[in-house]
Amino acid sequence: MRKTIMSAAIGAIGMGAVIPLSAQSVPGWKTDFSRFTVPLDEIVSGGPPKDGIPAIDNPTFEDVRRADRWLKDREPVVLVDLDGVAKAYPLRILIQHEIVNDAVGRVPVSITYCPLCNTALTFDRRFQGLLLDFGTTGNLRYSDLIMYDRQTETWWQQATGEGIVGRFAGEWLTFVSSPLVSWKTFKTQYPDGLVLSRDTGFDRTYDRNPYVGYDERPGPWRSFFDRTPDNRLHPMERVVALDIGAESLAFPFESLKRKRVINHRVGERRFVVFWVPGTSSAVNATTIAGGQDVGSSTVFDRQIGSRTLTFEAVEDDHFRDRETGTVWNALGFAVSGPLADKQLTAIPHGNHFWFAWAAFKTDVQLIK
């Protein structure tokens, strides 16, 4: 595994070693390397070998009361709410494994996290009649995790969900909404939710952060990134990263900290971005719970039935729509007012570092 980004990974291989891919087979892989959609010299070794960072394939869970003994209020967790079941996947565990193959309700999913890009993303594992499960290739592109599915050994770009090498090159996985929120936010909304247990079957220390200081400015973010970054923002600025139709958008956290809410529209699609404080950085301090407060975001469709809502921020990290006066929390639940008990439809998005999102989406629109 990557023990520390400063010593093991960066110190050992510097800017990343180009791996000798070609149309020929590569030892240890059954991938069809004659099929690819990106320049192969953009793929570099991240240090560990295939499955050197082990995915969790048989996750176990515990209840909120038990998890509250070891999780701190500001710790980031990936929230997946599907089919009447809500689960939290703490980054203190994901940062050590990067992939969890699971099912939430009846929906098979893979929860993924790339610390180098701060990309916490979830995918539906059902694909063209197959049930995929994923592992780590040990390789990176633009600093981002390259996954592979064990059924065909296609290589997939985690940040975009695109198959880039192998049988499914040029195909796309389906994203599932999985906002990165604080433990306090999750346990307040979902007191009966389930939490990924530290009993993973691996010998890991889950209370220590292997990426101390990674998001500092300046920091070691360039270690696996040799492109010229988009200078519209600082490379390590967190952004709400999402695709709406053919449009790629980025909402900087610095703007959201001031506004807390942005109502936006792309074509006929109307949506809202919420931001609330109280979530710590996973790649900052010795412990994830001790990381600086970077906040968290959620994104929702503004349509409720035939009505389009417009939101404004109110006290206590809540939001109010101007049309009905209903008050909503950051997870899109109406807590009081005429629309009480309604829920907004979540839109998949990420809280990526700007350098990564801009590298994959060169035509991204920056919304401040």
Side-chain angles (χ1 to χ4, degrees):
M1 60 168 288
R2 300 186 185 113
K3 295 182 180 178
T4 66
I5 191 63
M6 304 288 278
S7 60
I10 293 176
I13 60 177
M15 290 295 293
V18 176
I19 56 178
L21 296 181
S22 70
Q24 307 302 315
S25 62
V26 176
W29 289 97
K30 63 181 183 182
T31 307
D32 180 357
F33 287 99
S34 69
R35 295 176 56 82
F36 52 90
T37 61
V38 302
L40 296 181
D41 60 5
E42 292 182 349
I43 298 174
V44 302
S45 171
K50 178 183 182 182
D51 292 321
I53 299 175
I56 297 175
D57 294 316
N58 297 293
T60 60
F61 293 85
E62 55 192 56
D63 61 27
V64 166
R65 180 186 58 82
R66 185 177 181 88
D68 204 36
R69 299 174 185 171
W70 53 276
L71 281 170
K72 308 301 181 185
D73 279 356
R74 292 197 308 120
E75 282 198 55
V77 301
V78 176
L79 162 62
V80 183
D81 179 358
L82 291 171
D83 210 19
V85 177
K87 290 186 176 182
Y89 301 83
L91 286 200
R92 69 156 72 185
I93 299 176
L94 269 171
I95 205 169
Q96 302 274 7
H97 296 278
E98 301 193 356
I99 298 173
V100 178
N101 294 300
D102 193 21
V104 179
R106 293 165 293 182
V107 183
V109 292
S110 285
I111 297 85
T112 70
Y113 178 61
C114 177
L116 300 181
C117 296
N118 201 53
T119 42
L121 301 166
T122 298
F123 303 96
D124 192 320
R125 295 197 287 122
R126 297 168 296 188
F127 188 80
Q128 294 191 10
L130 298 175
L131 181 61
L132 305 180
D133 56 274
F134 295 89
T136 60
T137 64
N139 302 316
L140 305 167
R141 177 169 169 260
Y142 303 161
S143 286
D144 181 58
L145 162 69
I146 298 176
M147 317 180 297
Y148 78 97
D149 71 73
R150 298 192 181 115
Q151 286 63 43
T152 71
E153 297 206 351
T154 296
W155 291 13
W156 301 87
Q157 190 77 62
Q158 183 253 4
T160 63
E162 180 188 4
I164 58 173
V165 181
R167 173 178 167 182
F168 291 132
E171 303 285 353
W172 302 81
L173 298 172
T174 299
F175 286 101
V176 172
S177 178
S178 57
L180 196 58
V181 302
S182 71
W183 167 239
K184 181 179 180 180
T185 295
F186 179 87
K187 69 179 180 179
T188 300
Q189 183 63 52
Y190 300 103
D192 297 321
L194 298 173
V195 185
L196 180 65
S197 168
R198 293 172 296 175
D199 183 14
T200 62
F202 296 94
D203 183 16
R204 294 289 188 272
T205 302
Y206 293 118
D207 60 352
R208 301 180 66 183
N209 179 14
Y211 292 84
V212 176
Y214 178 75
D215 63 354
E216 293 177 358
R217 306 182 183 190
W221 65 274
R222 290 212 67 131
S223 300
F224 298 96
F225 189 84
D226 60 359
R227 294 171 59 87
T228 300
D230 187 318
N231 63 11
R232 286 180 289 169
L233 292 175
H234 189 282
M236 297 304 286
E237 173 70 35
R238 285 173 169 82
V239 298
V240 175
L242 75 158
D243 290 317
I244 300 293
E247 303 291 333
S248 296
L249 309 174
F251 297 80
F253 268 37
E254 286 302 320
S255 296
L256 285 163
K257 286 177 185 178
R258 297 191 303 270
K259 298 180 178 180
R260 288 192 45 214
V261 57
I262 295 178
N263 298 283
H264 200 65
R265 172 179 176 175
V266 173
E268 296 303 311
R269 191 74 182 274
R270 298 169 175 86
F271 60 94
V272 64
V273 180
F274 293 156
W275 181 90
V276 293
T279 303
S280 60
S281 166
V283 288
N284 179 246
T286 303
T287 64
I288 290 178
Q292 63 180 329
D293 185 351
V294 295
S296 61
S297 68
T298 45
V299 182
F300 301 100
D301 195 314
R302 291 197 280 134
Q303 199 80 14
I304 288 283
S306 60
R307 175 180 285 155
T308 299
L309 303 179
T310 308
F311 294 89
E312 60 189 6
V314 293
E315 68 282 351
D316 299 326
D317 299 333
H318 283 71
F319 307 87
R320 180 171 52 225
D321 72 71
R322 296 171 187 165
E323 288 71 22
T324 74
T326 300
V327 175
W328 307 77
N329 67 18
L331 295 182
F333 288 89
V335 296
S336 66
L339 300 181
D341 299 327
K342 296 290 187 181
Q343 183 179 0
L344 300 172
T345 300
I347 297 176
H349 74 288
N351 291 167
H352 305 356
F353 290 132
W354 168 245
F355 80 86
W357 187 236
F360 287 110
K361 306 288 185 173
T362 55
D363 58 349
V364 60
Q365 297 181 38
L366 188 56
I367 313 296
K368 294 184 178 182

